[in-house]
Amino acid sequence: MITYPNTGSAPYPAMITFGFFSSINTSLSDLGVAVITFPNDDIAEQANTGSRGKGKFYDLFCSDHSAGAIIAWSWGVSRLIDALEKTPEANIDPTKLGVTGCSRNGKGALAAGAFDERIALTIPQESGSGGSASWRVSDFQGPDVQRLTQIVTENCWFGLSLNQFRNSANKLPYDHHMIAALCAPRALLIIENTHMVWLGNLSTWVTGNAAHMVWDALGVPDRMGFSQVGHGSHCILPDSQTPELEAYVRKFLLDDDTQNTTIMKTDGAVSYTHLTLPTKRIV
C-alpha cells in the first residue's frame, strides 16, 4: 500500500515501513515523503518458532529453505524496489528510498538496508538484540537483556544455523556492528530507548559506536547517527527524537544539505570506550 504525502511533487521520495508504522507517518507526509507499507508477515510469518517456512518467500523457494524470516523480508523489500523501478506510474522515485520499522520489524529494516544498496536511508527503531545490539555485549549485560540463547527459541527470525552459537556468542564470526556497517557509506540512523533494558541499552550504544568508526574511516561521519532516549512507550517515537528523524529524512531523501545529522547521543548511564589496539607489521 502506498500512501502519498500531502505536499511535495511526484515522483515522491518514499519510506518503506515494515508493517503499519504510524509513529512517524504524519512527520513523513508533512515533509513530502510517501509511505509504502511493506507486509513483511505475508512474506515470512513470525508468530513463533512454529512459523518457520511459512509465507510467500517459502511458497516460492520451499518451506525448508535455510533463510530465516528477517533475510526473507530483506529479499521481499528488494523485489518491491524492483517493481518500483519498473513502474514509473507509481509516482515513486526509486533513487530516494528509506526503510524503517520498530522492534522485531526494526531488525528487518536494518537487514533490508544492509543488503540492498538502493536504499538511501535506513532507520531501525528500538530493534535491540538481533538488530542494532551486539550478541556479545548483550551477553555481557546479562539475563535482563534479550540474548542469543533466548532469541533462537522465541521466533524464526534467523536461520537454524545460528542455533549452534546460542551458548557461545563469542564464537560467532560476525556481530551486528558489522551488519550496520554494511549500510555504509549510505545513511543510517539508529533510534533506541534507554528505559527498555530488554533491548540492550548498553549493547546498542556500544554497537552503534563501533559501527560509526566505519563511517568515520570513510570520511562521512554525518551519514550515521545514533539517538537513545529513555521513555516508557515501546515503538512510539518521542517528540525529542522527531527533529533528528526529520533531519535525516530531509538530508538523505530530500537533498537538504543544510541539515545537521551529526548525532551520537544517549541519555543513559552507559559508556563506550574506544580502545586502540596495537598493530603488527607483517613482513
Side-chain angles (χ1 to χ4, degrees), residues 14-16 18 36 38 73-88 90 92-99 112-113 115-122 186:
M15 185 70 74
I16 300 167
F18 275 62
I36 303 175
F38 174 64
W73 298 338
S74 179
W75 172 90
V77 169
S78 292
R79 303 293 71 77
L80 168 57
I81 297 172
D82 290 347
L84 290 172
E85 290 178 334
K86 295 175 183 294
T87 315
I92 297 297
D93 184 349
T95 70
K96 296 294 180 183
L97 297 175
V99 63
F115 287 103
D116 197 313
E117 294 182 353
R118 294 173 294 180
I119 295 173
L121 172 60
T122 302
R186 293 170 292 122

Side-chain angles (χ1 to χ4, degrees), residues 154-198:
E154 179 183 343
N155 221 306
C156 55
W157 294 314
F158 301 95
L160 288 172
S161 60
L162 188 64
N163 291 13
Q164 65 187 296
F165 299 101
R166 58 184 299 176
N167 295 313
S168 54
N170 62 320
K171 293 184 179 180
L172 275 169
Y174 75 100
D175 218 322
H176 278 244
H177 63 298
M178 298 165 72
I179 304 298
L182 286 173
C183 295
R186 293 170 292 122
L188 171 66
L189 174 63
I190 295 173
I191 296 174
E192 283 294 333
N193 185 342
T194 322
H195 288 179
M196 302 288 177
V197 178
W198 181 247

Side-chain angles (χ1 to χ4, degrees), residues 1-2 22 29 31 41 59-61 112 137 141 150 152 166 175 183 188 212 231 239 248 250:
M1 182 177 67
I2 301 177
S22 61
S29 180
L31 291 171
D41 286 353
D59 292 343
L60 284 170
F61 297 112
V137 185
Q141 275 200 262
Q150 182 276 334
V152 296
R166 58 184 299 176
D175 218 322
C183 295
L188 171 66
H212 193 266
H231 58 95
D239 291 343
Y248 266 77
R250 288 181 185 276

Side-chain angles (χ1 to χ4, degrees), residues 28-129:
L28 292 171
S29 180
D30 290 345
L31 291 171
V33 177
V35 174
I36 303 175
T37 304
F38 174 64
N40 53 304
D41 286 353
D42 287 348
I43 302 297
E45 292 185 18
Q46 56 165 337
N48 49 49
T49 53
S51 303
R52 187 174 297 279
K54 297 178 181 179
K56 290 182 172 63
F57 176 90
Y58 302 100
D59 292 343
L60 284 170
F61 297 112
C62 297
S63 61
D64 61 351
H65 194 283
S66 62
I70 288 175
I71 202 66
W73 298 338
S74 179
W75 172 90
V77 169
S78 292
R79 303 293 71 77
L80 168 57
I81 297 172
D82 290 347
L84 290 172
E85 290 178 334
K86 295 175 183 294
T87 315
E89 58 268 29
N91 286 324
I92 297 297
D93 184 349
T95 70
K96 296 294 180 183
L97 297 175
V99 63
T100 191
C102 190
S103 197
R104 59 184 61 189
N105 291 342
K107 306 180 202 303
L110 179 60
F115 287 103
D116 197 313
E117 294 182 353
R118 294 173 294 180
I119 295 173
L121 172 60
T122 302
I123 307 179
Q125 181 182 344
E126 298 183 25
S127 59
S129 297

Side-chain angles (χ1 to χ4, degrees), residues 103-104 107 126-131 133-155 157-158 196-201 203-204 234:
S103 197
R104 59 184 61 189
K107 306 180 202 303
E126 298 183 25
S127 59
S129 297
S134 156
W135 298 122
R136 289 165 170 81
V137 185
S138 293
D139 269 3
F140 171 80
Q141 275 200 262
D144 290 337
V145 174
Q146 186 173 41
R147 295 176 294 164
L148 183 54
T149 188
Q150 182 276 334
I151 205 168
V152 296
T153 67
E154 179 183 343
N155 221 306
W157 294 314
F158 301 95
M196 302 288 177
V197 178
W198 181 247
L199 301 173
N201 46 10
S203 186
T204 54
H234 186 42

Side-chain angles (χ1 to χ4, degrees), residues 8-23:
S9 57
Y12 299 100
M15 185 70 74
I16 300 167
T17 67
F18 275 62
F20 183 70
F21 190 28
S22 61
S23 179

